[in-house]
C-alpha cells in the first residue's frame, strides 16, 4: 500500500531557530500533499495544501512566511518552521493521496513530527 | 463539507466486538463515508470507506444505514492495539480536497 515517510519524527530546537520537516511519498507520486498540526488532546487542523511546482495554499490564520512549504518534486514536500517559538511546539503531520487511487479520496498519512521549541 | 457527529469516548472489553457510531444527517448522494484512526503519537491511519453498501476489509466492517444518515464502524474483536481515536469523515466523490477532522471517538479497550 501507499506509504508516506516523515522525518524527523521528533525534534527539539531553541527559540528563534528554524526547523525543516520532510514528507516523502515512498511508492507513489503526489501532486498534492497536506500539512496538519495537532496540539495535545485536540484534533488535526489543516495548515496548508502543498502543490507540486506551485505555491502552497494556506488556511486562514496560518502565516505563510512562518511556515514555509516547498513541494519541489512529486514525492517530496517540506515544511520549514522559521524563527520557531514555544507556541509552535506541536505535532506536525503530512498526508498525500496516491494519484493512481480511486476517486474515494483516501489519504495516506505520515507518522508525524513532534516539535518542541525551548 | 457535511458534518459528522460521534460520541466523545467509548469503552470495550478486549476480544469483544465494538460498534462505533457516526451520524451524518446532511450527507449528500456523492459523499463517501471514511473512517480513520489515530493511535497515540502517530499519524492517522486509514481504516475503511464506503458509499452505499456495507463494506468489509481485514481491519473492520462498515455498516451504512439505508438512508445513509448514519454509519457504524465495527471492530469484530477488539484488541489492546485498537485503542485509538476513531474519526468518521465525509468526502465528496472525485474530490481532491483535504480531509476535515472532527473530534472523533476515543476508544478505550479494557483487558
Amino acid at each position: 500500500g501507499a506509504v508516506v515517510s516523515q522525518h524527523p519524527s521528533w525534534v527539539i530546537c531553541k527559540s528563534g531557530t528554524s526547523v525543516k520537516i520532510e514528507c516523502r511519498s515512498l511508492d507513489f507520486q503526489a501532486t498534492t500533499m497536506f500539512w496538519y498540526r495537532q496540539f495535545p488532546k485536540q484534533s488535526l487542523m489543516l495548515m496548508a495544501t502543498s502543490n507540486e511546482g506551485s505555491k502552497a495554499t494556506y488556511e486562514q490564520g496560518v502565516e505563510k512566511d512562518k511556515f514555509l512549504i516547498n513541494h519541489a518534486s512529486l514525492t517530496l514536500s517540506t515544511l520549514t518552521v522559521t524563527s520557531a517559538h514555544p507556541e509552535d511546539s506541536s505535532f506536525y503531520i503530512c498526508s498525500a493521496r496516491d494519484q493512481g487511487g480511486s476517486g474515494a479520496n483516501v489519504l495516506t498519512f505520515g507518522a508525524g513530527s513532534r516539535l518542541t521549541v525551548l | 463539507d457535511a458534518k459528522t457527529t460521534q460520541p466523545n469516548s467509548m469503552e470495550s472489553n478486549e476480544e469483544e466486538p465494538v460498534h462505533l457510531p457516526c451520524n451524518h444527517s446532511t450527507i449528500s448522494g456523492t459523499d463517501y463515508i471514511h473512517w480513520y484512526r489515530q493511535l497515540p503519537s502517530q499519524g492517522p491511519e486509514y481504516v475503511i470507506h464506503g458509499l452505499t453498501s456495507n463494506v468489509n476489509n481485514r481491519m473492520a466492517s462498515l455498516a451504512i444505514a439505508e438512508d445513509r444518515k448514519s454509519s457504524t464502524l465495527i471492530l469484530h474483536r477488539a484488541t489492546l492495539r485498537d485503542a485509538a481515536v476513531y474519526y468518521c469523515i465525509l468526502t465528496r466523490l472525485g474530490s481532491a480536497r483535504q480531509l476535515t477532522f472532527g473530534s472523533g471517538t476515543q476508544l478505550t479497550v479494557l483487558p
Side-chain angles (χ1 to χ4, degrees), chain B residues 36-88:
Chain B
Y36 286 76
R37 72 179 185 181
Q38 186 178 23
L39 279 65
S41 299
Q42 294 287 321
E45 173 188 28
Y46 166 79
V47 178
I48 200 167
H49 76 276
L51 187 60
T52 56
S53 303
N54 294 343
V55 185
N56 299 296
N57 67 21
R58 62 175 181 81
M59 289 182 72
S61 294
L62 176 61
I64 301 173
E66 197 169 333
D67 63 5
R68 300 186 72 237
K69 293 186 177 183
S70 65
S71 61
T72 302
L73 179 70
I74 302 166
L75 306 179
H76 295 286
R77 205 161 157 265
T79 69
L80 297 178
R81 288 180 295 180
D82 291 323
V85 179
Y86 286 78
Y87 297 98
C88 170

Side-chain angles (χ1 to χ4, degrees), chain A residues 21-32:
Chain A
I21 300 170
E22 292 187 348
C23 179
R24 294 181 184 273
S25 56
L26 294 188
D27 49 1
F28 66 98
Q29 294 183 331
T31 57
T32 302

